[in-house]
Amino acid sequence: MWAAICGHVVLLLVLGSLGWIAIKQVVQPLAKFTAAANALQPEQLGPQLSETGPSEVVAAAKAFNEMRARITHHIEERIHLLSAFSHDMQTPITRMRLRAELAADFPEREKLLQDLAETERLVQEGIAYAKNAHVKAEDFRTVDLTSLIESIAADYQDTGRQVSVVAHPKGSIVTKPRALRRILSNFIDNSLKYAGAAEIAASRGSSGETVIAIADRGPGIAEDLLDAVKKPFVRIEHMNCEGIAGAGLGLAIAQQLATEIQGSINLRNRPAGGLIAEITLF
Ligand SMILES: Nc1ncnc2c1ncn2[C@@H]1O[C@H](COP(=O)(O)OP(=O)(O)OP(=O)(O)O)[C@@H](O)[C@H]1O
Ligand SMILES: [Mg+2]
C-alpha cells in the first residue's frame, strides 16, 4: 500500500517536473520575443533574435527579424527622403533670397527676406535631423564640465541673450561634446523662444550620473503632451507665444543625439511654472 502511494508520488513529481520543463521551453522564447519587441524603438532597433530552437520558434524568430529589417528600411527611406527634399529646397530658396536682396526696394521686401531666412533655417534643420540619424562619427572624450557649461552660456551671453549658469559640480565627464552641446543648445533655444530666458544647472546623482538641466519660467507644457513633443514635427501653440516659428524638430534631434551619447532626456514642469528640460549622462 505505502509502496504504491510512494510510487504515485514519485510519478507525480516526475510528471510535474517534465511538465514544468516543457512549459519553460515554450515560455522562454516568448520572454525573448517580449524583450525584443520592447527594445524595438525607432531610434535604436535593438538586437536581432537568434534563429535557433524548435522549428516553430525559428519561424517566429525569422518573421520577427524580417519585420525588424522592414522597419529599418522604412525609417532609412523616410530619412533619405527628408534629406533629399531639404537639400533640393536649398537652391531655389537661396536664389529667391538673392533676387529679393538685389531687387529695388519694394514695400514688403524686409518681410519677404525674413520669411526666406526662416524657410532657409527650417530646411537646414531638416538636413541636420536627417544627418543626425546617420552620423555616429564623433568620438567620446573627456571634457571639463565647468568649461563646457560656461562656454555654452558665454556663446549666448555674447549676443545679448539671457542665459545664466545657476550651479554645476566640478570635474569632468566622458561624452561626445559636439552632440551634447547641440542637445543643450536646443533646450536653451526653446527656453529663450518660449520664456525669454534660460538657466543652466548641472548636478551629480547618487549613482555617479551627471544631470544637466535647462530651466525657464515660461508656459511649460501640458503634462499629457510632455512625451509627444519629443517626436519629430510635433509643436504646440502656447497662449502669448503665437506666431513663434519652428519646425518641431529641436527636441526630436535632442532625443536622437541623447541616444547616441548614452544619455536620456526628460521634460518636466516646474511647480511654480515653467519647464525643465534635462539630460542625464550615465
Ligand atoms: N521651454 C519650453 N517651454 C514651453 N514649451 C516648449 C519648450 N520647449 C519646447 N516646447 C514645446 O514643445 C514643442 C516642440 O519643441 P521643439 O524644440 O521640438 O520644436 P520647436 O521649438 O517648435 O521647433 P524647432 O526647435 O525645430 O525650431 C514646441 O513647439 C513647444 O510648443
Ligand atoms: Mg525648438
Side-chain angles (χ1 to χ4, degrees), residues 140-156:
F140 277 92
R141 54 189 183 85
T142 305
V143 286
D144 181 61
L145 196 57
T146 310
S147 328
L148 181 88
I149 289 178
E150 298 283 357
S151 87
I152 293 176
D155 281 349
Y156 283 93

Side-chain angles (χ1 to χ4, degrees), residues 47-162:
Q48 289 211 357
L49 276 177
S50 110
E51 297 176 5
T52 51
S55 59
E56 290 80 3
V57 173
V58 171
K62 271 197 177 135
F64 182 89
N65 288 339
E66 276 161 21
M67 179 188 75
R68 181 182 171 282
R70 281 198 300 276
I71 294 175
T72 315
H73 178 71
H74 181 68
I75 292 174
E76 276 176 6
E77 210 169 41
R78 280 183 51 179
I79 289 170
H80 180 72
L81 198 74
L82 174 65
S83 166
F85 175 75
S86 306
H87 188 263
D88 290 354
M89 287 288 290
Q90 268 186 319
T91 319
I93 293 169
T94 311
R95 232 173 14 229
M96 278 193 275
R97 186 170 46 76
L98 288 175
R99 285 203 176 126
E101 276 168 4
L102 292 173
D105 214 4
F106 56 93
E108 296 286 287
R109 186 164 172 265
E110 270 319 301
K111 285 195 180 143
L112 177 66
L113 282 171
Q114 263 173 31
D115 284 344
L116 283 171
E118 182 54 27
T119 316
E120 225 168 359
R121 201 186 63 79
L122 295 183
V123 163
Q124 275 157 10
E125 286 269 14
I127 292 175
Y129 181 73
K131 268 193 192 150
N132 278 338
H134 291 301
V135 173
K136 310 260 178 220
E138 191 182 3
D139 288 327
F140 277 92
R141 54 189 183 85
T142 305
V143 286
D144 181 61
L145 196 57
T146 310
S147 328
L148 181 88
I149 289 178
E150 298 283 357
S151 87
I152 293 176
D155 281 349
Y156 283 93
Q157 289 157 355
D158 287 351
T159 48
R161 275 159 308 165
Q162 275 191 58

